[in-house]
Structures are given as C-alpha cells and as structure tokens.
Amino acid sequence: MTERIVRWSLAVLGGCGMAYGLVLVLTRVSPADWFRLARWGLAAWMINDLVLMPLALLLGLTVLRRVPPRRRMPLRIGLLGLASLVIMTAIAVGARAHQKNPTAEVTAPLPALLITGGVLVLVILVAELVAGLQRPERDEGPAAG
Amino acid sequence: MVRWPLQSIRRRIPTPASVTGAVQSPAVVTRLGLFLGPAFGVCFLTGLISHNAQSPTGVLLRPWPVWGYRLTQGIHVATGIACLPLLLAKIFAAYPRILDRPDGPARGPSVIIRFAAGRLLIGILTAAGIVQVATGLFNIFQWYVFTFDFVPVHYAVAWVAMGAILIHVATKLPTIIETLRRRRRTGQRHSPGARRGFIGGVLGVAGGLTIFSIGQTIGPLNGLALLSPRRPRSVNLQGVPINRTAAQAGVVDRIDSWSLTITGPSGEHTLHRDTLTAMPQATVRLPIACVEGWSVSAEWSGVRIKDLVDLVGGAGRDLRVQSMERGSRYARTRLPADFVADPRSILAIRINGEVLALDHGYPARIIAPDRPGALQTKWVERLEVL
C-alpha cells in the first residue's frame, strides 16, 4: 500500500514537473528556439540510441571478448574515463577556437587531457595491483558489454 | 501465413539476455541510478537557486552568507560535470534494454501502448539528460554552439528532466526495492566482484572529474583545476577572470564622458569620478561568482551603495542599476532593498589595491554579497531608486 502511494506520488509529481517544463518552453522560450531545442533533443536521442548503445554492443562483442576476463573491468573503467575526458577536452578545444573574449586565460586542453589521462591509468594500475594482491582469479561470466 | 516472416525476423533479432554482460544487470543499473538520480537532483535544486538569484523578481534573496551563490553555483557545476560519467555508465549498463519487446504471448493494444509509452518516457529522459549535461558543459566553456537562448531553455529542460526522472523511478520502484532487498537478504555488503568494481570505478571517474575541475570554485584546489575552463586566478587581469570586455560591451568610446546619475524621491544627483573618490570609502572582501562555476574573492574599495542612495532619500527601497552597455540581458538589473542597505554592498572603483581596469568595469561597478557575477553590474552610469 505504501509502495503504491509512493509510486503514484512520484508519478504525479513527475508529471507536474514535465508539464511545467513544457509550459516554460512555450512561454519563456522564443518560438525560433523551439525548433533549435527540438533538434538538440532529437540529436541527443539519436546519439544515445544510434551511437552510444551500438558502440557499447560492439565493444562487448568485438573487444571485450578478446580480453582475459580479469582485464575486462579495468578496461571498461579506463574506456569510460577516457570517453569522459575526451568529451570535455573536445569541448575545451572547440571553445578555444571560438573564444570571443580576448582576455580569457583558458586552461590548455591537451596537456590537461594527457595529465588527467595519465592519472586515470595510474589509478587503474594501482587498483589492479591491490586487487591482485587481495583476491584470487575469478571468472566474471559472459563478455558482452 | 504473414506470421512466419515476422517470427523469423523476431528470432534473428538479439534479445536483451543474449547481449547481457557482467555489468548489464538490474543490480548495476539500479545502483548507478542511486548515484545519478541524486546528482541530477542536487544539480536541479542548485540550479533553481541560481535561477532565482538571477531573476529580478526572485524570492527570498538575502545578502548573506556572502559565499552563498559561490557555494550553490560551484556545487551546480561540479555535480553537472560528475553527471557526465554517471550518465555514460548508466547508458552502458542499460543498453540491452534497447532490444526489449512488448511482453507476453498475446500482445494486445494495451500491452503495446504501455510498451510504447515506456519507450517514449525513456527517450525523453535520456534526451533531456544529455541535452542538459551537454549544453551545460558548452556554456561553462563559453562555446555557444547551441545558438538558442541558454538561460530559459536550460531552466525549462531541467524541469522536464527532473519530471521524467521521478516518473522513471515510479515505474521502476518495484525493481529498485527488489534489487536492494535481494542484497540485504543474501547478506552481501557489496555487489559481487565485477559489478562492485564497475560501480566503484564509475564513482572514481566522477570523483576525479570533480577534483580536477572544482578548483575553479575552491581556492586551495585551484592548482588542480586542469579540466576547468579558466586558468588559475593568478594569471588573470587584477587577479579576477573577465567574461565580457569593455570592447565587447561597446563602452570604450563613451568612457571619457562618463558620469553617474542617481535619482530618487528627493531629486537627482550627477557625480563624476573625482566626486566619488572624495566620498567616504569602504573596503570589502567579496567573491565574484560566475554562473559558469568559477569564483574568486577580491578586495574591493568604493562608496557604499546606501551612502549614494541616502543622497536622494531612497533608503529602504529597491534600486535599478543601469550599465553603459546596451542590448545585454544584464545591462539593467535590480538591487533589492536588503542588498542596498547592506554595508558590504559598494560601488567599487578599486580592486585589490588598484584602480579598476576598464574590462573590470572602470570607472565603477556594483559589488554586493551573495549575488551572481552577471548582476555585479559593470560600467554603472545610473542608479534609480524604485
């Protein structure tokens, strides 16, 4: 009973939130921006369903299956970290090229990527070293993803 | 007879179970959601505070604590950045769900409608989440590739995203509860093996991104801010970054003829720079906190706002502040009465012991506690008691 009340409450609150967001789009966002926003929303959906998810599937089917089970988790974390860093660096590089503020002292993105990427690799190696000392080999099951 | 080709096609399409790996489990997806949901929630709440602070009719605006906006906007940007790896990990863990099909042997209209509605919700949730994180990142790096007006769009989509998250939690609540109960029943303190490592690794990546970017808000971590949009404060003009130069604001040509006009109930006063300099000066140490997440404290010197307002008998009222800049959203701002009366609110003419640079708002700018940087108006030419 309590669970049902909580679910309904969340659903109603969520519905109100979404409806309010839609009202804000219609009343505070200019009509010209509606289409720009719709394009961005569509692009985001396409990136998720047509790029990220197939990429994850491909990663599991082609790369991870060739890697020893014990190395798959560090590889997943490394790729996730690298993807995050590459996204932020790509934005930083693009922003530098389009910077209209001549006084902006922006962080150099490529050295930042190298240093943070190096830290990521180092942390994964140390974690693997510690895990290797603490735990025996364990089979982790199917490789997909 | 039409069924045979369809059944053949269905058999060839992979099912979620056939592509599920060590981390594509309800346990991992649930636990990632336990971090991603609150991260989005905190980002949403601090975003509400920021939006309210920038609104001319914002409620409960107070000039204390002085570091209030600095804290909330710093958290907003930090949690937004942390959402990036959390979102990627959630997408990665949940990707087999894209191969879901309507349940049951008898897939009647109600089942298909429910399935379609569920997919639509997930589509909206994912799209809104990606749009928020992506446009937020582009904004803090000042790369306005999205071309739409960021403030109202980011605010509206935030409500859509949070609403979709709540509905998503409502639909998945039985799974969430069952997953967490199963952990307690089996006595496990952590998810087994690979799943624990994955979640720990994701949190580590999120934490790492935060550490390498939050230095733009927290002074002692400034040297670590490798992923922040701006370099450490020491290399900036007079120690404070600049978002908009005098040239960009189009005020350079008119600076030499600058004067300050103050209007109020008892009349109008026009002051020049030497008059301002001759008035009693106050020195305050206050942060400039930008919506992009960076913040820097500086020592500001100038005339107290309340002293200027007293010249025209405007005590206890809001103040309209007009900049020399034209056409900007923030060229005209409103300073609430509480801020006007606060002795730390000044019309600054010096920063860190030097005369205010042109790009920092010379001859005079507003500095007040707990106020977004965009509202610390530069190149002030008019103060009007409302």
Side-chain angles (χ1 to χ4, degrees), chain A:
Chain A
M1 182 66 180
T2 308
E3 183 182 312
R4 217 176 145 151
I5 293 171
V6 169
R7 290 183 76 188
W8 273 106
S9 302
L10 287 171
V12 167
L13 269 175
C16 292
M18 287 185 74
Y20 183 58
L22 185 61
V23 166
L24 286 172
V25 170
L26 294 174
T27 57
R28 301 244 193 120
V29 177
S30 70
D33 282 346
W34 293 349
F35 299 103
R36 294 183 186 118
L37 176 58
R39 279 203 301 266
W40 268 75
L42 192 64
W45 169 77
M46 287 171 68
I47 285 170
N48 179 67
D49 280 13
L50 303 180
V51 175
L52 293 179
M53 289 205 164
L55 203 60
L57 188 64
L58 210 62
L59 180 73
L61 292 174
T62 59
V63 175
L64 288 178
R65 280 195 178 157
R66 288 175 169 78
V67 173
R70 195 172 159 63
R71 302 282 172 246
R72 287 175 196 156
M73 194 51 63
L75 187 59
R76 288 189 189 106
I77 299 302
L79 288 173
L80 178 76
L82 193 63
S84 303
L85 289 175
V86 165
I87 288 170
M88 288 195 70
T89 306
I91 294 174
V93 169
R96 266 191 131 182
H98 293 84
Q99 182 60 255
K100 290 190 171 70
N101 178 355
T103 67
E105 289 284 344
V106 295
T107 310
L110 292 177
L113 174 64
L114 288 173
I115 294 171
T116 52
V119 170
L120 172 70
V121 169
L122 191 64
V123 168
I124 290 175
L125 286 175
V126 168
E128 273 301 286
L129 195 65
V130 171
L133 292 172
Q134 286 178 340
R135 287 196 305 268
E137 288 278 346
R138 189 185 308 174
D139 181 65
E140 69 170 31

Side-chain angles (χ1 to χ4, degrees), chain B residues 274-302:
Chain B
D274 50 1
T275 323
L276 273 182
T277 312
M279 291 180 71
Q281 303 287 300
T283 299
V284 297
R285 187 165 182 81
L286 290 175
I288 284 266
C290 180
V291 70
E292 292 148 11
W294 61 260
S295 58
V296 177
S297 287
E299 200 171 78
W300 310 86
S301 301

Side-chain angles (χ1 to χ4, degrees), chain B residues 73-92:
Chain B
Q73 197 59 14
I75 291 173
H76 181 77
V77 172
T79 49
I81 290 173
C83 281
L84 173 61
L86 290 171
L87 192 57
L88 289 175
K90 189 93 181 333
I91 290 170
F92 182 67

Side-chain angles (χ1 to χ4, degrees), chain B residues 188-201:
Chain B
Q188 293 174 332
R189 290 178 60 238
H190 302 285
S191 318
R195 296 171 189 166
R196 174 178 47 178
F198 183 69
I199 293 170

